[in-house]
Amino acid sequence: MSALRWGILATGGIAQAFTSDLLTAGRTVTAVGSRRPEAAEEFARTHGIPRAHGSYEALVSDPEVDIIYIATPHSAHAENAVLALGHGKHVLIEKPLTLDEGQAIAIRDAAAAQGLLAMEAMWTRYLPHMVRIRELLAEGAIGEPRVLIADHTQRISSDPTHRLNALELGGGALLDLGIYPVSFAWDILGAPVEVRAVGRLGETGSDTEAAISLTHASGAVSSLVTSSRAVGPNTAEIVGTEGRISIDRVWYTPTSFRVYAPDGTVREEYTSQVDGRGMQFQALYAEELIAAGRTDGDLLGIEESVAIMGTLDEIRRQLGVVYPG
C-alpha cells in the first residue's frame, strides 16, 4: 500500500475514474469532499473510502489526507488548489491546470511558498506508450522530428447549459479537449515560437472547433485540431527525417503505435497493456516525487504547465473567446 493518503475533491465522472484507477493500483484513498454532503457520502460508499466531507474546507483540513486530487471544473482549479496548498496538502490538479496563465502562476507561487507539489494531471504524458515514444525519439528512431499531427474531436452536447458550452465554467473545446494535442506538441517538440489559430464559436460564445498551427524553435511544425461537435479519427503522427510514429485511436489513452521507416516498413509495433483507464500512472509519479523530497517533476514541471496555459491563452485570444471577468 502507498504511504501517501489521497483525498478526492469533487465527485464527478473524472473523479470516479481517477479514484477507481488509484484503488486498482493499490493506492490509499482516505477521504472525499463535496459541496453536497450526500454526494460525498455516496462517493465514499461506492469506492470504500472511510471519510466523507460535506465541504472542500473540511477535506483540506483533514489530518488523514496528504495529497488531494482536484476534479472540479477548471474554472475552480485555482481557488481549490490554493485552498488545499494553504492547508499543507500536495495537489494533483485535473487538466487544464487553470482557466488562464495568471491563475496558473497563482498555484505555482502558492506551492513554492509552502514547499509542496503542485502538478497538472495531464495523464497522457505518463502512459506507458508515451514513455516508449519518448525513448524512441531520444534514440533517433525517426531522425529529426519535423511534423506533429494530432486531433481530439468528440461529439458532446450542443445544449447551451452544458458545462462544455458555459463560458462562466471555462467552456469550450480548447480547454477541455484541445489541451491534449497542445500539451502533446509541447512534450514532443518543445515550446512554440509562433501560434496561429482559427475556429468557430457556438451559441454561447464558447469555441466548438479550432485548428491550431504551432511553429517550434527547431523549425518543426504542429497541426492540431479540436472539436466538441464532431468525432474525428483521434489519432496522432510524429513525422521525422528517417521515419514516422503512427499512434492509433485513441492516441491520448492507452493504445498502440507503429514505427515506420521511410519506405513504409514497420520497424516496431507497441500495444499497451494497462489495468483500468490508465490514470494511475500520473499518481504513481506524483508519489515518487514526494517520496524523493521533490516538489516538481521532469515529465511536466509546473513552469511548463504555466507556459502551456499561456499558449492556450493566445489561441483563445485568436479565436475570440472571452470568459467573464
Side-chain angles (χ1 to χ4, degrees):
M1 297 296 286
S2 167
L4 282 183
R5 300 164 298 180
W6 286 82
I8 310 298
L9 192 149
T11 58
I14 197 70
Q16 299 276 357
F18 177 77
T19 302
S20 293
D21 280 354
L22 266 186
L23 296 172
T24 295
R27 310 340 273 175
T28 301
V29 184
T30 56
V32 59
S34 172
R35 292 175 298 182
R36 295 187 301 115
E38 63 276 16
E41 290 165 4
E42 181 179 356
F43 191 100
R45 282 194 300 271
T46 298
H47 297 284
I49 298 171
R51 302 158 78 89
H53 296 292
S55 72
Y56 299 153
E57 291 78 7
L59 173 67
V60 301
S61 300
D62 189 335
E64 299 298 315
V65 172
D66 303 307
I67 180 169
I68 292 178
Y69 171 65
I70 293 174
T72 47
H74 40 266
S75 56
H77 285 178
E79 177 185 355
N80 300 151
V82 170
L83 176 68
L85 290 163
H87 283 77
K89 312 300 186 187
H90 302 284
V91 288
L92 178 64
I93 307 154
E94 186 52 45
K95 49 82 200 121
L97 186 65
T98 53
L99 200 61
D100 60 25
E101 186 177 23
Q103 292 184 354
I105 290 170
I107 291 177
R108 179 201 66 191
D109 292 350
Q114 296 289 335
L116 295 167
L117 174 73
M119 181 175 134
E120 182 182 13
M122 175 43 72
W123 63 296
T124 300
R125 290 216 184 182
Y126 305 90
L127 293 174
H129 75 287
M130 287 295 177
V131 173
R132 179 56 185 152
I133 285 171
R134 284 192 294 269
E135 291 173 348
L136 287 165
L137 293 174
E139 295 165 4
I142 62 168
E144 180 189 1
R146 301 301 298 166
V147 176
L148 182 146
I149 304 166
D151 79 301
H152 187 173
T153 47
Q154 296 188 33
R155 185 177 180 181
I156 302 176
S157 176
S158 60
D159 182 346
T161 65
H162 188 278
R163 178 187 65 80
L164 201 79
N165 302 313
L167 282 177
E168 66 274 14
L169 296 178
L174 178 64
L175 292 195
D176 261 272
L177 311 178
I179 175 66
Y180 283 92
V182 170
S183 186
F184 182 46
W186 265 81
D187 185 18
I188 301 302
L189 299 176
V193 295
E194 184 178 9
V195 178
R196 297 182 183 179
V198 294
R200 178 188 300 180
L201 304 187
E203 302 84 350
T204 64
S206 64
D207 53 290
T208 58
E209 280 84 27
I212 303 157
S213 294
L214 305 178
T215 304
H216 303 266
S218 67
V221 296
S222 301
S223 179
L224 317 172
V225 176
T226 188
S227 174
S228 60
R229 299 291 175 89
V231 180
N234 287 299
T235 57
E237 300 274 343
I238 307 168
V239 183
T241 54
E242 300 298 329
R244 64 185 172 91
I245 298 173
S246 179
I247 313 175
D248 293 330
R249 176 180 178 88
V250 173
W251 69 266
Y252 48 85
T253 69
T255 188
S256 53
F257 70 80
R258 284 162 305 285
V259 182
Y260 291 96
D263 64 0
T265 303
V266 177
R267 291 174 171 166
E268 178 173 328
E269 189 163 2
Y270 182 99
T271 300
S272 295
Q273 300 292 333
V274 171
D275 292 331
R277 190 172 186 234
M279 299 185 77
Q280 66 269 32
F281 296 102
Q282 60 188 342
L284 299 178
Y285 186 81
E287 290 193 357
E288 289 172 5
L289 291 175
I290 294 167
R294 299 179 60 186
T295 58
D296 205 9
D298 300 317
L299 288 184
L300 180 57
I302 189 65
E303 292 290 356
E304 184 174 348
S305 288
V306 169
I308 288 171
M309 288 310 308
T311 297
L312 294 170
D313 284 353
E314 175 57 22
I315 294 168
R316 186 164 51 84
R317 185 192 68 79
Q318 294 185 28
L319 295 178
V321 176
V322 179
Y323 297 132

